[in-house]
Amino acid sequence: MALSEFQLISNYFTRQSVTRADVALGIGDDAALVRVPAGQCLAVSIDTLVEGVHFLSDIDPDDLGYRALAVNLSDLAAMGAQPAWATLALTLPRIDENWLGQFSAGFFALAQQHNVQLVGGNTTHGPLSISVQVHGFVPEAQALRRSGAQAGDLIFVTGTLGDAAIGLHLASHPHTVGAQHAQYAAQRWLRPTPRVAEGLALREVASACIDISDGLLADLGHICAASRTGALIAVEQTPVSQLFRAAGNGDWNLPLCAGDDYELCFTAAPQRRAQIEEIFRAFACGATCIGAIETAPGVRCVMQDGRPFTPEQRGYDHFRNVTP
Ligand code: ADP
Ligand code: MG
């Protein structure tokens, strides 16, 4: 017999290892009851993943559960917020217990790493879609907004860029790189690491911050627009991985324009540079200075030899191929 909605929730979403003291009432009532620490803001963010748009039907449900939470935690990281709770709205075409078991395992594995408790959600029937909302804490004055960049500030990015796009490409073109590169690429695309600890460490250090979901130039463009500034990027300074060197064909459009890396792009006053280097000694991903904020609006890219670099496309437009 098919599982009822209530059995489904109880079997796959109520059992979790995280139980937080600030949750007065979790899953099971009409609403959850939670306590926000005195003097802090509640940082709230939601992201939806739709089958056929954000992932293909052959994706491993374990990866999907992980990724649905990861992209949301990345938004909290980019605000300098400490994650606390999540809610999950699932639209399922059918009840597949094997799928549910794997999906929830992927979700809870990452939730546990960040001490995030699932406190509620919604389950409906329809084409597969997953919405996760996350909630975190940050003192208002310490939140990393997009609007704080000033001319003269340096621009940094964490980790390496372009890997997720190569991972996505290799998913449909396997055997074009060695097994080790292929595995790294798949992880970077399917299991991005939200830079939560890095975001927290950047409170009171960064002047502005954003996570790179749509591509460096597009997302840095958002910082510039919100801050009413522009930016100059030294193209070859952009941090890239061994994977990019092996499979990227030297195409700088990948690290500059491709999305889904979920690294942080942040700005800071130049006198903060030593402090930032010190902070990132503790983080394996590192942070690289790639340019500076300028007064003139727009994001400009320059090569080492002085030639301007013109990117092929700015970010990924979800509606690019959709006719109205
Ligand atoms: P209501 O009809 O009052 O909105 P529901 O019957 O939809 O409540 O859900 C019952 C309880 O289960 C609620 O506490 C809700 O937050 C939770 N819930 C429903 N779906 C999920 C899910 N996919 N993950 C986590 N909790 C869920
Ligand atoms: Mg109700």
Side-chain angles (χ1 to χ4, degrees):
M1 204 180 78
L3 227 56
S4 77
E5 180 192 329
F6 301 103
Q7 283 170 323
L8 182 158
I9 295 162
S10 133
N11 288 3
Y12 295 101
F13 295 108
T14 53
R15 271 176 248 144
Q16 54 186 314
S17 49
V18 175
T19 49
R20 294 177 57 100
D22 52 18
V23 177
L25 189 61
I27 293 173
D29 214 311
D30 295 309
L33 299 173
V34 293
R35 301 183 200 97
V36 180
Q40 301 213 37
C41 274
L42 186 64
V44 182
S45 183
I46 187 167
D47 260 306
T48 297
L49 301 183
V50 177
E51 184 176 47
V53 179
H54 304 99
F55 62 92
L56 296 177
S57 54
D58 62 0
I59 193 171
D60 182 343
D62 197 296
D63 290 334
L64 187 59
Y66 174 101
R67 195 167 194 281
L69 181 59
V71 300
N72 278 280
L73 292 179
S74 177
D75 282 320
L76 290 184
M79 291 307 289
Q82 174 77 60
W85 315 304
T87 50
L88 167 67
L90 264 185
T91 306
L92 302 171
R94 73 195 75 84
I95 292 177
D96 175 342
E97 294 207 54
N98 185 39
W99 189 95
L100 282 161
Q102 290 184 47
F103 176 87
S104 60
F107 183 96
F108 285 131
L110 184 62
Q112 188 177 356
Q113 275 180 41
H114 293 279
N115 196 32
V116 167
Q117 185 172 344
L118 184 66
V119 294
N122 186 47
T123 308
T124 49
H125 181 250
L128 182 59
S129 143
I130 298 128
S131 292
V132 175
Q133 185 167 47
V134 285
H135 312 76
F137 313 136
V138 61
E140 185 173 348
Q142 295 179 11
L144 303 176
R145 300 165 195 241
R146 296 178 180 184
S147 55
Q150 292 187 355
D153 283 357
L154 301 177
I155 303 166
F156 297 83
V157 293
T158 62
T160 55
L161 299 182
D163 297 335
I166 297 174
L168 174 60
H169 177 80
L170 290 179
S172 52
H173 302 80
H175 309 305
T176 50
V177 294
Q180 224 174 340
H181 282 316
Q183 201 194 355
Y184 171 81
Q187 291 293 305
R188 291 282 285 160
W189 147 239
L190 291 167
R191 293 194 165 235
T193 306
R195 303 299 184 194
V196 173
E198 292 81 354
L200 290 172
L202 287 169
R203 286 178 176 180
E204 295 177 280
V205 179
S207 52
C209 185
I210 194 168
D211 67 321
I212 304 174
S213 53
D214 295 335
L216 170 68
L217 298 187
D219 289 318
L220 176 59
H222 295 317
I223 286 185
C224 290
S227 302
R228 298 173 184 281
T229 59
L232 181 66
I233 297 299
V235 171
E236 291 98 333
Q237 299 291 310
T238 314
V240 292
S241 65
Q242 292 303 320
L243 169 70
F244 174 79
R245 294 183 202 287
N249 293 316
D251 179 4
W252 286 103
N253 285 287
L254 280 166
L256 294 177
C257 305
D260 290 320
D261 284 315
Y262 296 98
E263 296 294 346
L264 297 179
C265 172
F266 61 94
T267 61
Q271 57 269 31
R272 296 275 191 188
R273 188 172 193 149
Q275 189 185 357
I276 288 166
E277 283 165 5
E278 180 57 35
I279 287 171
F280 277 88
R281 264 193 272 282
F283 297 122
C285 65
T288 308
C289 181
I290 58 166
I293 295 292
E294 298 182 332
T295 338
V299 179
R300 290 160 290 282
C301 304
V302 64
M303 304 294 289
Q304 223 159 21
D305 63 11
R307 279 180 305 130
F309 175 85
T310 312
E312 263 167 25
Q313 57 158 73
R314 300 216 160 199
Y316 176 77
D317 177 357
H318 287 286
F319 301 100
R320 189 176 38 173
N321 298 319
V322 179
T323 38

